[in-house]
Amino acid sequence: MARTEGKNRAERRANVKALREADAALHANQRREEAAGVDHETPEYLRLNGAANKAADKVSRWRGGNR
């Protein structure tokens, strides 16, 4: 298993925090769109999903990422 990206513990923790914030934003947007009856991938969803995927690439699977 690859370690979370970062030169030191603070950078690794910041990458995990960034992933959690990106996931939270993505899920909050999903709840808003579902409540509004949106049933397709909006530009906002695509932007947030891309940001979450980019953040996940820096974090180990142990912490919820893709590494």
Side-chain angles (χ1 to χ4, degrees):
M1 178 182 347
R3 188 174 191 162
T4 296
E5 189 175 298
K7 295 179 184 175
N8 54 45
R9 185 175 184 192
E11 287 183 11
R12 290 188 297 272
R13 293 182 101 184
N15 285 333
V16 171
K17 182 179 178 184
L19 172 59
R20 291 183 178 157
E21 289 172 352
D23 279 343
L26 178 63
H27 293 298
N29 180 66
Q30 177 185 6
R31 288 188 297 273
R32 282 191 303 273
E33 289 182 352
E34 283 179 350
V38 176
D39 64 351
H40 60 279
E41 294 178 349
T42 63
E44 180 66 3
Y45 165 81
L46 295 173
R47 182 186 71 78
L48 292 170
N49 191 52
N53 287 334
K54 189 174 181 181
D57 288 341
K58 296 180 181 180
V59 177
S60 74
R61 289 181 188 266
W62 183 255
R63 299 285 179 215
N66 295 336
R67 287 183 76 116

